[in-house]
Amino acid sequence: MVSGLVQGVGFRPFIYRIATESNVKGFVRNMGGSEVEIVIQGGKREISTFFSLFYLKLPAPARIESLRVEGLEECKFGEFRIMPSSLDRREPSQIPPDFTVCDDCLREVLDQRNRRYRYPFNSCAYCGPRFSMIMAIPYDRENTSMRDFPLCEHCSGEYSNPTDERRFDAQGISCPICGPRLFLEDLSGERVEGDPILQTAKLLSEGHIVAVKGVGGYHIAVNPFNDDLVKELRRRKNRPEKPFAVMSISTSVVSRYAYLSREEVEALESPERPIVLLRKREESQLSKYISPGLDREGFFLYYTPLHYLILREVEGNSLIMTSGNKHGYPMCIDEKCVREKLKGIADYVLYHNRQIVNRVDDSVMKFTGSRRHLLRRGRGFAPLWIRLRRIGLPGLAIGAELGNAGGVLLGDKAILTQYVGDTDRVDNLVQLERSLDFLLRTYGVAPKVVITDKNPAYQSRRLARKYAERFSAQLVEVQHHFAHALSVSAERGVEEGIAITIDGVGYGDDGNAWGGEILRFRGADYSREFHLRYIPYPGGDVNALKPRRMLANFLGTFMDWEEAGKVAGIPPEEVVVLSNLNRRPGLLTSSTGRFLDAVSAYLGVCHRRTYEGEPAIKLEAAAKGGKVLDLDLPVRGREIDTVEAFKWLVSHDPPLADAAATVLYRLGEALVKAALRLNPDVILVSGGAAVNEYILKGMEDNSQGIRVVTPSKVPAGDGGIALGQLNFSTLANLEGL
């Protein structure tokens, strides 16, 4: 029995070929848990040859995690066959993610002599959609949305031909005769005649905005060189500042607009094809409105023949390709959603008639030096599992709230959903439930434990209670920042140590809004050792939307309120309200995010937050080229005194870049120096601010040789919380709670 990534990667035809070559008899078949069963019969020489070929010629996308060999009673086989799949689950295995189109398939699409010339859905055993079109396991055509497209005579011949390595027994293959079709229409449903791809390119060149159906959902495409068009897209999407991503045809094209390191090129060209945040070139001809106020632009390469064929017809071989959704809502996956939700945003829709079963957003990645940060885990990565050190009860994790993902625990395997979004919106909460149900159904998991965040205001807790009641499972709460720490712990296999968790806010054990924490943990137990100085937080998360207000809260700790209000630039009537609220006992925060918001507001970088993390992200961009000046953020008792940063800013008035670089670097320095007081062997760092290059550099430069470790398989932000929650369930004696 073989498990790992062995379905949907050309594994069965591979086994057939090496079995035939080594002259063993028997069979191979897919099983109901995504594993593959292989039965072989032969002499010692034949079996030895089989296993040699197995390890030498394993298909590139395949990953073997477990290979269990058992002796069977003697039975006679006259040949080696690919048997019909079984629904039995013997050993769980990986659900294949979506793969980019391979070079061989793209060559066929570009070859005028090939019958798949200009066919936008070409794929083979090694490439193409997988997770996004899977309805059930085992991975057979009838269990995918390709079941709607019976193979034609030509494709059937390839499918049945053992010598055709790329298409023998390949479930997702098709051609222009039997496969999906493209259609181009305006939003009212009126068909545009002519070649849909050429007509789409023409419309884009003429300044129209087009919704394009991809692998895991719709993109909205627009010319990235035209300022007026980009501003119009922002107006239509009600997205004033949040950056868009640009899809290009090659890394050589991307290099015209951004600087590329070796690691970034490898990521862009990888089978996962994530969006990678790259440093902008000063001479870039792309519109300045794609990522206003930032020093990085998000780029990714085509990952389907359809994308490639469109890109080669448009200016600069590049297009803005942003999520096809109404702001804050899930990405559209069908034409009904496009006509209802994207009306007034897109002018035209280019779609195909293959159903998208599982919505999957593009993954997003960033590098700081050679350190990889996965900011959003979607297409190409989900739903691959992450192995934990321990086995836990069958469990389900709901995650947090913003940029959320959930997960399922099966033995020692944490299987996370794809990125879902902010589950404070009902539509996204429903999407989370669907994604979790898919994993529960596919792996046959009946959770005994449901894990959720401690925050009583999170909408996701409603879903947690619903699952707990449905399965009569224990409902367990895990503190937000401890879950952040345990997400890195899960990746690194560390069960005790010191963690720095820095983010916006999470509900603390004392009822306050934590967010700049240094924790000591051992297994499922932890203690809060240090944190950023508590600052009054009247009104709670309304402060997150108004950086000037948060600035006033900081300044009010050492200035009179009238002066603090003037410096912060808030109306006098709001100053009166804040000063009165701050005199009373109330909510406090140690949030790193709110500290950075306030600094950003003081420096004039960002006065209004229009997307999650905007003030801090723009502050990081403003630090580009800045010098790190003298600033000390001392530890007073158990608190790192961040108010000292504002006293320094007021008294020194440094240049913008120097001020931003200094505050960020010195914050990292202060955090790591406090952590070093606890004598760590390694320092784990997580939370949304853990991807800030200047904070990380401050930590690395002052860690005295102690390794500073960040997550790379899951987001450091809330998209990784579910992994930490599942890890908690393996470390805790939950049956005894």
Side-chain angles (χ1 to χ4, degrees), residues 479-712:
Q479 199 279 325
H480 189 89
H481 298 94
F482 187 36
H484 272 310
L486 290 182
S487 71
V488 197
S489 150
E491 276 199 28
R492 303 292 174 170
V494 177
E495 294 191 355
E496 61 180 293
I498 305 301
I500 298 173
T501 56
I502 44 177
D503 65 357
V505 294
Y507 187 81
D509 292 334
D510 59 1
N512 286 312
W514 292 8
E517 314 304 317
I518 300 176
L519 308 177
R520 185 199 299 274
F521 71 96
R522 182 174 184 178
D525 297 316
Y526 71 96
S527 58
R528 187 191 195 200
E529 299 294 330
F530 298 98
H531 59 86
L532 300 192
R533 176 174 167 176
Y534 267 145
I535 300 296
Y537 200 49
D541 286 347
V542 69
N543 296 281
L545 300 174
K546 298 181 176 182
R548 289 179 189 266
R549 178 178 166 128
M550 197 63 226
L551 172 59
N553 288 330
F554 272 95
L555 296 176
T557 62
F558 66 95
M559 289 181 179
D560 69 67
W561 271 97
E562 184 177 354
E563 183 184 5
K566 287 179 180 178
V567 174
I570 61 175
E573 56 272 20
E574 191 170 2
V575 172
V576 173
V577 172
L578 279 179
S579 63
N580 288 333
L581 289 173
N582 272 270
R583 291 191 188 102
R584 307 169 192 165
L587 186 65
L588 303 172
T589 186
S590 58
S591 165
T592 301
R594 299 299 80 82
F595 167 62
L596 299 181
D597 290 353
V599 174
S600 188
Y602 181 87
L603 295 175
V605 172
C606 184
H607 292 141
R608 181 172 66 100
R609 193 197 80 171
T610 65
Y611 60 89
E612 180 68 21
E614 179 181 1
I617 295 169
K618 287 185 173 178
L619 183 65
E620 181 181 8
K624 182 180 178 183
K627 298 176 184 176
V628 177
L629 308 176
D630 288 336
L631 166 65
D632 180 42
L633 301 179
V635 175
R636 306 190 196 281
R638 294 294 182 180
E639 292 190 334
I640 297 169
D641 193 353
T642 47
V643 171
E644 291 298 319
F646 294 96
K647 293 178 179 178
W648 177 80
L649 288 168
V650 169
S651 61
H652 287 73
D653 192 26
L656 172 59
D658 294 352
T662 299
V663 171
L664 292 170
Y665 181 92
R666 296 303 184 192
L667 175 62
E669 176 187 43
L671 286 162
V672 84
K673 283 185 174 180
L676 288 172
R677 297 186 182 191
L678 305 173
N679 298 315
D681 296 321
V682 63
I683 298 172
L684 309 183
V685 184
S686 191
V691 304
N692 185 295
E693 62 180 300
Y694 298 95
I695 295 175
L696 277 175
K697 183 166 175 53
M699 291 182 185
E700 292 167 342
D701 289 351
N702 296 280
S703 66
Q704 299 180 14
I706 302 298
R707 282 192 311 134
V708 174
V709 176
T710 53
S712 63

Side-chain angles (χ1 to χ4, degrees), residues 98-100 131-132 212-221 237 239 242-248 268 271-277 298-304 307 319-325 330-333 356 358-366 373-382 403-404 417-421 715:
D98 298 297
F99 300 114
T100 184
F131 172 54
S132 61
V212 179
K213 190 174 185 179
V215 168
Y218 272 88
H219 287 114
I220 296 176
K237 283 205 76 176
R239 186 168 162 168
K242 190 174 182 180
F244 295 128
V246 176
M247 179 183 282
S248 294
L268 284 167
E272 293 83 10
R273 286 290 207 270
I275 297 169
V276 182
L277 304 187
F299 290 91
F300 60 140
L301 299 186
Y302 68 91
Y303 49 87
T304 70
H307 293 139
L319 287 168
I320 287 176
M321 283 282 197
T322 190
S323 296
N325 64 334
M331 178 174 54
C332 285
I333 60 172
I356 296 173
N358 295 305
R359 180 185 284 108
V360 197
D361 288 79
D362 297 313
S363 296
V364 182
M365 190 178 290
K366 173 186 176 182
H373 305 282
L374 193 56
L375 305 182
R376 188 167 77 191
R377 187 176 184 268
R379 178 186 46 76
F381 296 95
N404 203 13
T417 71
Q418 66 275 37
Y419 162 86
V420 170

Side-chain angles (χ1 to χ4, degrees), residues 108-115 117:
E108 291 172 342
V109 171
L110 301 178
D111 182 358
Q112 295 185 30
R113 299 163 297 177
N114 194 284
R115 71 187 188 90
Y117 176 59

